[in-house]
Structure formats: structure tokens, C-alpha cells
Amino acid sequence: ADGNIHVYGPLRGRALAGVKGDRDARIFCHSLEAELVSIAGDFKLDEDLRGTLWKRAVHIRLNDQALDISAL
């Protein structure tokens, strides 16, 4: 997506937001189960995502050069 991604259910597979360089793009989902999430080219794989926020509602944004994942 060029901009934000909203998923009103489980986020599975790959989610790429801000693919044209929009560093303000966000990803919102009701259940984080993705194999890859990316904002403006910065990404995390599922082995980095699995943790306390796995399968929870989250908000993902780009903070400097790292993805910031927080609970909703």
C-alpha cells in the first residue's frame, strides 16, 4: 500500500505500508500473525515479531530507523 494498512482481523502473510517512501505510514491490526511487516522499506520478519505482542491488536509505525510495535 502507498499509505496506511488497517486489518480488522488477523494480519497474516506480508504487509508493506508506505511502499513509495511514506515514512509516516502505519499498520493497524486486530491480531499480529504476519510473516513480514514493512514500512517504507524497513521491515521485521516473523521471528522478530513473535513475542509478547504476537496475536494481539497492535499499531506499527516507523520510529527513526526502526519499526515500533505497540499494543492497541
Side-chain angles (χ1 to χ4, degrees):
D2 291 343
N4 299 328
I5 297 174
H6 295 256
V7 178
Y8 300 102
L11 172 58
R12 297 187 180 120
R14 300 175 184 169
L16 289 81
V19 294
K20 291 189 178 180
D22 182 5
R23 301 182 62 77
D24 293 323
R26 307 271 196 265
I27 299 172
F28 301 88
C29 68
H30 282 197
S31 180
L32 178 61
E33 302 175 31
E35 68 181 56
L36 178 139
V37 293
S38 172
I39 297 177
D42 290 301
F43 66 92
K44 282 193 178 189
L45 298 171
D46 64 340
E47 59 253 12
D48 299 323
L49 299 172
R50 292 178 185 264
T52 59
L53 296 176
W54 187 250
K55 293 192 176 184
R56 293 193 49 204
V58 298
H59 166 232
I60 304 170
R61 67 184 184 97
L62 190 58
N63 186 7
D64 294 323
Q65 294 295 325
L67 291 182
D68 180 35
I69 303 173
S70 56
L72 285 176

